[in-house]
Amino acid sequence: MSNPDEPTKNNHEVSPAPPTATDVENPTQGVESGVSAITSRWRREDLLKRGSLVARGLALLFSFLSFTIMASNKHGDEEDGEDFNKYQEYRYLLAIAILSFLYTGGQVGRHVIWTGKQIFERRVCAMVDFLGDQVMAYLLISSASAAIPVTNQMREGLDNIFTDSSAAAISMSFLAFLSLALSAMVSGHKLSTQSYI
Amino acid sequence: MSNPDEPTKNNHEVSPAPPTATDVENPTQGVESGVSAITSRWRREDLLKRGSLVARGLALLFSFLSFTIMASNKHGDEEDGEDFNKYQEYRYLLAIAILSFLYTGGQVGRHVIWTGKQIFERRVCAMVDFLGDQVMAYLLISSASAAIPVTNQMREGLDNIFTDSSAAAISMSFLAFLSLALSAMVSGHKLSTQSYI
């Protein structure tokens, strides 16, 4: 009788164990899924923040290149030489590139260096970010578009270092526009989802 | 004994009444505040939907005006006359105005006429809306900016019906850009908050 008794005892000892194990496992799983949801949200927000910083950093670089190339675009002597200052389209491009450089520089500086208390409300900051990015993107595409026809016309006649520099500056402004358009999308997303955080 | 008995009976009959009234009122208030929150949300969403439709309708009108004004901008005979077709900037403006007219026409038609089942997922529709608005806005500001310098240069020399028509077409394209930029902001907001609805 010891043989049938032992398996029964064993069964009795083993059978309560699985429910206990699942009972312990289930809450852990619930907590884990909750934690993973929160961490995935944090990761997404962190990714957005980093993406926005990278986009603005690229816009800073490209607008710096654009304005230095255009500002140094003077060749030959004063009379015969070609000077960007003679063309209002190039002056417009230069002005917008400088504005974009200052704006993106300020934004990158604010996000990298400034870690203290926020002076303004968070919602106001998000709105300023979005509007700033969007308006700068519109200005950059506008200045690049305005400068393209005159450069194109000049290059039909002759192709020298002046027209090449102009084309390079225009390309840099266009790349800065692409970066800021991306950044504007990210800050628009931040602005819209912000009240739910 | 009938007098003291009657007030007691009255008291007994009256006293349970006020608590019942407040008991009934409190849930009603709770339900009302919940209902008002939901209706205010509906009202906001309805306002956004209507605002988006109005902005797109304005963009449709302005791009129609822009492309008809530019397409009819031929004056004088073939040899001496001024024709928008000679200038690539004006051809670009015309092309973008037609594109914008078709796009906004399609969007307005879809929102006004189409009431059946949505073919695509709602999220996909919202993304197409946002990207379409944003890209069209960039194209419109780009075409207006490209056409401004050549018109400006022509108007320095002489100011006739050709340059005036060009200026009018450019203004209409710029107004269409403003409308679509507004619409892009609304559809970006819709896209971002959509997963929470």
Side-chain angles (χ1 to χ4, degrees):
Chain A
M1 286 291 278
S2 70
N3 246 1
D5 201 35
E6 262 186 16
T8 322
K9 202 183 171 187
N10 269 353
N11 266 347
H12 207 72
E13 270 184 2
V14 171
S15 60
T20 317
T22 50
D23 270 3
V24 170
E25 258 175 22
N26 267 348
T28 317
Q29 262 190 331
V31 167
E32 265 174 11
S33 77
V35 165
S36 78
I38 292 171
T39 51
S40 82
R41 182 176 192 150
W42 279 350
R43 211 172 294 136
R44 203 177 62 224
E45 274 167 20
D46 192 52
L47 190 75
L48 275 182
K49 201 175 174 182
R50 219 175 286 177
S52 165
L53 193 62
V54 168
R56 283 197 183 122
L58 282 176
L60 176 67
L61 174 71
F62 289 133
S63 47
F64 174 73
L65 283 174
S66 173
F67 105 73
T68 45
I69 292 170
M70 189 48 93
S72 62
N73 198 9
K74 296 182 180 189
H75 304 283
D77 56 6
E78 271 192 24
E79 289 296 308
D80 295 331
E82 285 167 316
D83 186 351
F84 79 92
N85 212 14
K86 283 182 192 165
Y87 302 92
Q88 60 184 359
E89 294 90 346
Y90 293 160
R91 289 202 302 271
Y92 180 40
L93 189 91
L94 178 68
I96 298 299
I98 290 175
L99 207 63
S100 164
F101 173 70
L102 291 177
Y103 169 74
T104 48
Q107 283 280 13
V108 169
R110 189 169 72 91
H111 282 283
V112 171
I113 299 164
W114 183 256
T115 49
K117 198 168 162 265
Q118 284 198 328
I119 302 164
F120 298 107
E121 218 182 314
R122 217 177 145 192
R123 191 162 181 82
V124 175
C125 281
M127 194 164 280
V128 168
D129 274 14
F130 171 66
L131 283 181
D133 284 0
Q134 191 76 72
V135 168
M136 272 322 303
Y138 287 137
L139 284 176
L140 280 167
I141 184 76
S142 163
S143 69
S145 301
I148 285 172
V150 63
T151 313
N152 201 22
Q153 211 177 350
M154 263 191 261
R155 291 186 93 168
E156 276 174 12
L158 79 169
D159 207 355
N160 56 15
I161 194 168
F162 178 71
T163 57
D164 282 353
S165 298
S166 307
I170 292 169
S171 312
M172 291 300 122
S173 270
F174 188 74
L175 290 175
F177 151 71
L178 286 183
S179 311
L180 265 185
L182 202 70
S183 171
M185 277 177 67
V186 174
S187 25
H189 179 81
K190 264 188 203 163
L191 178 66
S192 293
T193 54
Q194 208 216 9
S195 52
Y196 296 92
I197 292 167
Chain B
M1 285 292 280
S2 70
N3 245 2
D5 202 35
E6 262 187 17
T8 322
K9 200 183 172 188
N10 269 352
N11 266 346
H12 207 74
E13 268 182 6
V14 171
S15 60
T20 318
T22 50
D23 271 4
V24 171
E25 258 176 22
N26 268 348
T28 316
Q29 262 189 331
V31 167
E32 267 174 12
S33 77
V35 166
S36 77
I38 292 171
T39 50
S40 82
R41 180 174 195 158
W42 280 349
R43 212 173 291 136
R44 204 177 60 224
E45 275 168 19
D46 192 52
L47 190 75
L48 274 183
K49 202 175 173 183
R50 219 174 285 177
S52 164
L53 192 62
V54 168
R56 282 195 184 126
L58 283 176
L60 176 66
L61 174 71
F62 289 132
S63 48
F64 174 72
L65 284 174
S66 173
F67 105 72
T68 46
I69 292 170
M70 189 48 94
S72 62
N73 198 8
K74 295 181 181 190
H75 303 283
D77 56 5
E78 269 191 25
E79 289 298 308
D80 294 332
E82 284 167 318
D83 186 351
F84 79 92
N85 211 15
K86 283 182 192 164
Y87 303 91
Q88 60 183 359
E89 295 89 347
Y90 293 159
R91 290 201 302 271
Y92 179 42
L93 189 91
L94 178 68
I96 298 298
I98 291 176
L99 206 63
S100 164
F101 173 69
L102 292 177
Y103 169 75
T104 49
Q107 284 279 12
V108 169
R110 189 170 72 91
H111 282 284
V112 170
I113 299 164
W114 184 254
T115 51
K117 198 168 162 262
Q118 283 198 328
I119 302 165
F120 298 106
E121 216 182 317
R122 218 176 144 191
R123 193 165 178 81
V124 175
C125 281
M127 195 164 278
V128 168
D129 274 15
F130 171 65
L131 283 181
D133 285 1
Q134 191 77 72
V135 168
M136 272 321 305
Y138 286 137
L139 284 175
L140 280 167
I141 185 75
S142 162
S143 69
S145 301
I148 285 172
V150 63
T151 313
N152 202 22
Q153 210 175 351
M154 264 192 258
R155 290 187 94 169
E156 276 173 12
L158 79 169
D159 208 355
N160 56 16
I161 195 168
F162 177 72
T163 56
D164 282 352
S165 297
S166 308
I170 292 168
S171 311
M172 290 301 122
S173 271
F174 187 73
L175 289 174
F177 151 70
L178 286 184
S179 311
L180 265 184
L182 202 70
S183 172
M185 276 178 67
V186 174
S187 26
H189 179 80
K190 266 189 201 161
L191 179 67
S192 295
T193 55
Q194 208 216 8
S195 53
Y196 298 94
I197 291 170

